[in-house]
Amino acid sequence: MKRILLSVAVYAISLYHSDPVAAQARLVEKITANGSGLTIPYEKYVLPNGLTIIVHEDHSDPVVHVDVTYHVGSAREEIGKSGFAHFFEHMMFQGSDNVADEQHFRIITEAGGTLNGTTNRDRTNYFETVPSNQLEKMLWLEADRMGFFLDAVTQQKFEVQRATVKNERGQRYDNVAYGLVNEVTAKNLYPYGHPYSWLTIGYIEDLNRVNVDDLKHFFMRWYGPNNAVLTVGGNVNTKEVVALAEKYFGPIPRGPEVHPVKLRAPVLERDRYVSMKDDYAKLPLLRMVFPTVASYHDDEPALDCLADIIGQGNNSILHKDFVKTRKSVSAYTAHYASELAGEFIVAVTTYPGQQLAEIEQDLRASLASFEARGVQDDDIIRFRNRYEADLVYRLESVAGKVSRLAAYHTFTGDANYTAKELDRYMSVTKEDVMRVYNRYIKDKHAVMLSVLVKGDTLNKAAEDNYTVSVEGYTPPDYGYEGLSSGKPSDTFDRSVMPAAGPAPLVSVPEYWRRDLPGNIRVIGTVSDEIPVVNLLLYFKGGAMIDAYYPDKTGLASLFSEMMDEDTENYTAEAFTTELQKLGSRIEVQAARDGIQVQVRTLHKHLDRTIALLEERLLRSVFTEEAFETNRKRTMENLKNLKNRPSYVAGSVFNKVNYGEGHILARTTTEKTVGNIQLADVRDFYTRYFSHRNANVVVVGPVSEQEILSKLDFLQQMRGHEVKLPVITAAPQVKKTKIYMVDIPNAAQTEFRIGYVTGMKYDALGDYYRSTVMNYPLGGAFNSRLNLDLREDKGWTYGARSYFDADQYSCTYGFSAGIKADATDSAMLSIIRILAEYRKTGMTGEELKFTRNSMGQSDARKYETGQQKAVFLFNILTYDLPSDYAQKQNELLDRFDISEANALAGKYIPDVNKMNVVLVGDKHKVWDGLQQFGYEIVELDSEGNKVSGKRQ
């Protein structure tokens, strides 16, 4: 079993393997477990070409996680070529000499794995988690794109991925409220030419400017093995991993030398007032940003603690001064430290009518009140304990541990940094926090960004007084002159993809079950891999109860918000403080048919956390002040959501599918929330929050006997029956209509296409079989829909189709954000693909891919405590047999083409009988949609029909 609470034994070794064929890697460090400190055991090797190899053995689950981290991010970019590191991340998935186009995702998915890549300011990493028998194949793949990438680059691939990245920018930044706040802040905080002065996503004009040669030079300059670390963790043998790394990575030539970047921290001669107009935001925002220190600087932990005290959580100073007083919807602070610099951020999103100039003064007054208040003992205790718990949580999975090892090595040169990191944060003192406040915040200058909204464009904290200057900028020498590339010389045929090893044994968690009085069903499994207990409690009721309160949709959600407020013995702030002092979490959320309570705690704090849970469930107090604050904040958040195309598309699609008045079509609006009164929340608590028929899931190092005695308090809850309203059938779609919601100037059109199928959730019947059938159509990255719309056309950042079911209903849906000027062309492609698949179903090759991918993915399903909890929760919710996972695999093995085609003909929508919801700029897309001959109905953002003709 994996254990991470262990002390360290370090061996610095300089030995070579005795095998002359494999006499390559040099063992430079070995960390072993011995005692009770916090560490991750590993061995570290270095190849002659400079590649570092770190291996962590963990035999508790039949998986392996492979990570290749390159020490290059947007900080290595130059003026005029922003976004290149991130763009390059996309290109690295487009094949290499021995991996065909679009095959990287396919190979890993078919192996039962998951994969991705990420880019930030300072590094790019590529990673995959797969069944452990797929290890060699993963190393072959990663080595191929490190050593054999350039000749596989084509202009067509380049153009498609450029379009995809531009769509990603539209979907994540340009097309959402406050999406460009970080970009404007960075531009005005850092000097001209500083690589942190632009976002990792880059500017559209720069993406338009770069070419294939730029990409090739970027690869040759930064992607050599000597600028990378290969980290492997999981059910592996270290000697085998090293031998395979020698084979596949060893022949790759060393790249140019890479030296650390050294840049002066930004210096602000005065407060820099700047502003931006945001057409998607409904509420003004003021953002104050102070320059601080780089990551791993001695002052970083104290600055993090300072941010925690001033503006994180409902016990923070800003929450008390701004949110509780109803001056703002939200107010928070954060400290972000990167390799070259750090930023201390203070942000307030105001209610309408608030003046940002006054908000600025209030912010400065809050900082002064912190100074007068000082740092208290409880501040330090809760900060330290929460950090310790969060660090342990992050080390629960093999992926979490591997990512820590890779990051520590990349940025500190010391992969064995876990215990040191914990010690840095556990050593923070009150004096440290006040020292960094005085050094970096008090009387220091900041960037002051005012976000202006429609109808309130003069509401600035102060007039703009800063313009970025190019004066004095000297372009650095990035070392691109004289670059050349050479291919490795191999003694084996690299074009042959390695076969998988023997399939690992996958075992579902062993569990126990017990029924308690009131039909409380408890299920649990003992998991002692980390000292963390996960509890999931599910009380019957939830959002469906809203049907009993006409015109008050959103009541269940507002009730769950109120369950984070005062109790009989604690104020909301004091309750949060007690939780944070334990490093524990209690979160209450409203689901469709229940109120879900999630608890996570270190085992040593279980009793005290359970006591707080009891207080929360049995003794919550609903005050008028807290109610008005939460209701007002909810209403303002709904205003902002109306300008988020993805949110609008989802809620309108639901309403169109189920029809006006249907229980499952109810939409929360400002009006319905405004109708809710405090008496309604109290009534909900009294009438619809009961222990009867509750489900409880327990995962962690705790036995059945131990936990059951701690759950006795549930019997003190009300125990009456909670009856849910009857769910009627959804209306059938008689003919296809396009429902258009206009969001002016939207860069993309959000698509939602589908219908209500008439199925319900099942583990072995038509629903499960239909998810298998849909997998090659829209369920996998290499599905027909995603390959066509993203990889071949570059119209979207991602497209998928799915069956979404519970015990009440099942919807078939297609979703994607498509660039606006391709809306009609994308619609044509989607209709064609759906019609073809409905008629002919999957191919034999697609069936093989689906069987392999879905069958082998079982190895990844039970690794973490939360994964185990979901597995057990489904068993309780749907009364599943204990061997249902095995039966699913048996069904998958028998699944054939004729069955797939019959299901496709039955459940893939008839293109003449489906609902199409499009959310975007109608003036850009309306005329192009006329060609399809479908009736076009314009709706507002709440799904109501817009009267009158299109303007």
Side-chain angles (χ1 to χ4, degrees), residues 178-295:
Y178 313 112
L180 297 176
V181 165
N182 286 330
E183 181 171 272
V184 175
T185 301
K187 180 180 178 181
N188 290 282
L189 176 64
Y190 294 98
Y192 179 81
H194 192 294
Y196 285 1
S197 66
W198 55 81
L199 296 186
T200 302
I201 193 72
Y203 295 112
I204 289 290
E205 56 268 30
D206 289 353
L207 291 171
N208 288 334
R209 184 182 297 116
V210 297
N211 57 45
V212 172
D213 289 336
D214 293 320
L215 180 141
K216 291 183 177 181
H217 281 94
F218 195 86
F219 176 82
M220 288 187 285
R221 180 65 186 90
W222 306 112
Y223 276 75
N226 50 304
N227 196 35
V229 54
L230 165 67
T231 311
V232 179
N235 186 33
V236 298
N237 176 278
T238 299
K239 290 183 178 180
E240 179 186 1
V241 174
V242 173
L244 292 172
E246 290 168 339
K247 175 180 178 180
Y248 291 113
F249 290 90
I252 299 173
R254 187 181 186 91
E257 293 306 309
V258 177
H259 302 289
V261 176
K262 298 290 185 181
L263 292 176
R264 189 168 64 95
V267 176
L268 278 58
E269 68 291 342
R270 60 177 175 170
D271 288 327
R272 296 176 180 176
Y273 288 91
V274 295
S275 62
M276 59 170 282
K277 186 172 179 291
D278 192 330
D279 290 332
Y280 295 98
K282 291 290 187 181
L283 302 172
L285 180 147
L286 179 64
R287 199 176 206 231
M288 178 187 295
V289 183
F290 299 88
T292 61
V293 299
S295 53

Side-chain angles (χ1 to χ4, degrees), residues 436-457:
V436 298
Y437 170 78
N438 290 321
R439 182 172 183 179
Y440 301 104
I441 309 300
K442 183 182 178 180
D443 299 328
K444 299 302 185 293
H445 299 304
V447 171
M448 307 292 297
L449 172 63
S450 300
V451 178
L452 315 178
V453 299
K454 289 181 181 179
D456 198 15
T457 55

Side-chain angles (χ1 to χ4, degrees), residues 66 68 70 89-117 125-130 137-149 157 249 497 781-782 787 791 849:
V66 176
V68 179
Y70 295 89
E89 175 208 316
H90 281 248
M91 289 299 301
M92 285 281 276
F93 287 99
Q94 299 310 303
S96 46
D97 280 5
N98 301 296
V99 182
D101 299 358
E102 301 170 349
Q103 289 302 295
H104 206 101
F105 275 91
R106 180 184 178 89
I107 289 169
I108 295 175
T109 305
E110 189 170 15
T114 184
L115 71 157
N116 213 332
N125 69 337
Y126 303 88
F127 52 89
E128 43 272 334
T129 305
V130 294
K137 191 180 298 181
M138 298 306 105
L139 297 178
W140 171 79
L141 279 169
E142 290 293 353
D144 210 65
R145 61 178 165 189
M146 179 186 284
F148 298 85
F149 173 74
K157 291 181 186 179
F249 290 90
M497 182 172 65
F781 183 91
N782 279 65
L787 287 184
E791 296 300 288
F849 167 76

